[in-house]
């Protein structure tokens, strides 16, 4: 028990270090390439911070644990919006770019709506079972390619408003690689030992996926977003979270289903509706108060809603 707790704390420490390296390295590369912080957040940082979800999902699918795989993705997306953006906005109000409001956030909403549609075969088609098939997975991956095409289409910018410290090309790349490895290893270390503790407490696979694993694999996004906010890189913080939500469904869940079809538990519909509601609330917040800005009060509301959701999950069992 003591060793498990120690390894869990060690995983958190590695995550923090990995997040710092990833943000510094990717910001430096963005400055040298004259690519916007938003694009780096939507691609390099989002991919790096989604590495734990990818590893967890592939192993979950191979070990016949579909509830853990799907719960991990849906739970991570919910925590990304309500918990991570909430905490980031409490630390420092976030200014959101126009492109994120009208393109990236709607695309993340489309992703979760498609997951709801693809997963409910019995409800929509009268099938005997609900399953995310290989065809569904390949469709998700096709949407992911479209997302990447769009992202690189907005990659070139006229200038950056942030003052960013640049390192040499070698150091910048090494920092990004070290950050991604640290996030992946730290996330795995944390999740593995968190699951051990959760199983000792008698939690279900679905509950573990939606809470312990989801929060654990979302810690890279949290650490990266907080560090980005402290460095006044709002676009990277927002792009990281929204990009990760798009990555999680289109790329990670798509790849997982393509490798091995996933049985879809209808109980996940409630969590998908929470995910849809959180995304819509994020969109609405950007038009209340100061336009395209998430203020501290809205951040507090996000965190409170997340706490209520976690309490609901625990009571649901």
């Amino acid at each position: 028990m003591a060793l498990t707790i120690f390894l869990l704390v060690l995983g958190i420490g590695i995550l923090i270090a990995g997040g710092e390296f990833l943000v510094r390295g990717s910001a430096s590369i963005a400055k040298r390439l004259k690519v916007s912080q938003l694009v780096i957040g939507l691609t390099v940082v989002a991919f790096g911070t989604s590495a734990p979800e990818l590893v967890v999902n592939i192993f979950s699918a191979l070990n016949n644990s579909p509830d853990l795989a799907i719960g991990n993705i849906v739970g991570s997306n919910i925590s990304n919006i309500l918990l991570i953006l909430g905490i980031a906005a409490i630390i420092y109000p976030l200014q959101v770019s126009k492109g994120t409001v009208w393109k990236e956030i709607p695309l993340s909403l489309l992703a979760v709506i498609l997951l709801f549609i693809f997963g409910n075969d019995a409800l929509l088609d009268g099938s005997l079972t609900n399953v995310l098939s290989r065809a569904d997975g390949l469709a998700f991956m096709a949407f992911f390619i479209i997302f990447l095409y769009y992202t690189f289409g907005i990659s070139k910018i006229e200038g950056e408003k942030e003052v960013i410290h640049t390192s040499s090309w070698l150091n910048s790349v090494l920092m990004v690689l070290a950050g991604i490895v640290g996030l992946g290893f730290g996330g795995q270390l944390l999740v593995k030992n968190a699951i051990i503790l959760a199983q000792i407490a008698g939690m279900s696979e679905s509950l573990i996926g939606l809470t312990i694993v989801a929060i654990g694999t979302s810690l890279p996004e949290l650490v990266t977003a907080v560090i980005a906010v402290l460095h006044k890189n709002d676009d990277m913080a927002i792009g990281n979270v929204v990009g990760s939500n798009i990555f999680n469904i289109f790329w990670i869940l798509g790849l997982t289903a393509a490798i091995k079809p996933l049985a879809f538990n209808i109980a996940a519909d409630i969590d998908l509706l929470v995910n849809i509601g959180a995304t819509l609330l994020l969109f609405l917040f950007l038009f209340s108060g100061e336009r395209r800005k998430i203020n501290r009060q809205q951040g507090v509301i996000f965190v409170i809603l997340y706490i209520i959701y976690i309490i609901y999950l625990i009571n649901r069992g």
Side-chain angles (χ1 to χ4, degrees), residues 46-56 180 183-184 188 217 220-221 252:
F47 186 84
T49 56
S50 292
E53 284 94 339
L54 178 61
V55 174
V56 168
I180 292 174
L183 289 169
Q188 274 297 93
T217 55
E221 282 91 345
I252 296 176

Side-chain angles (χ1 to χ4, degrees), residues 216-265:
T217 55
S218 290
L219 278 177
E221 282 91 345
L222 174 59
V223 172
T224 304
V226 170
I227 292 172
V229 167
L230 292 176
H231 292 169
K232 302 296 187 294
N233 290 336
D234 290 19
D235 279 347
M236 184 177 289
I238 296 289
N240 169 39
V241 168
V242 177
S244 291
N245 279 15
I246 296 171
F247 265 64
N248 283 346
I249 294 179
F250 284 159
W251 170 241
I252 296 176
L253 203 53
L255 180 61
T256 306
I259 293 173
K260 187 171 184 179
L262 300 170
F264 186 87
N265 190 336

Side-chain angles (χ1 to χ4, degrees), residues 36-47 100 104 144 147-148 150-151 154 235-236 238-244 246-247:
S36 70
Q37 294 296 305
L38 175 61
V39 171
I40 293 296
L42 284 168
T43 54
V44 177
V45 179
F47 186 84
T100 297
E104 288 92 40
F144 179 70
F147 167 67
L148 287 184
Y150 154 75
T151 301
I154 62 170
D235 279 347
M236 184 177 289
I238 296 289
N240 169 39
V241 168
V242 177
S244 291
I246 296 171
F247 265 64

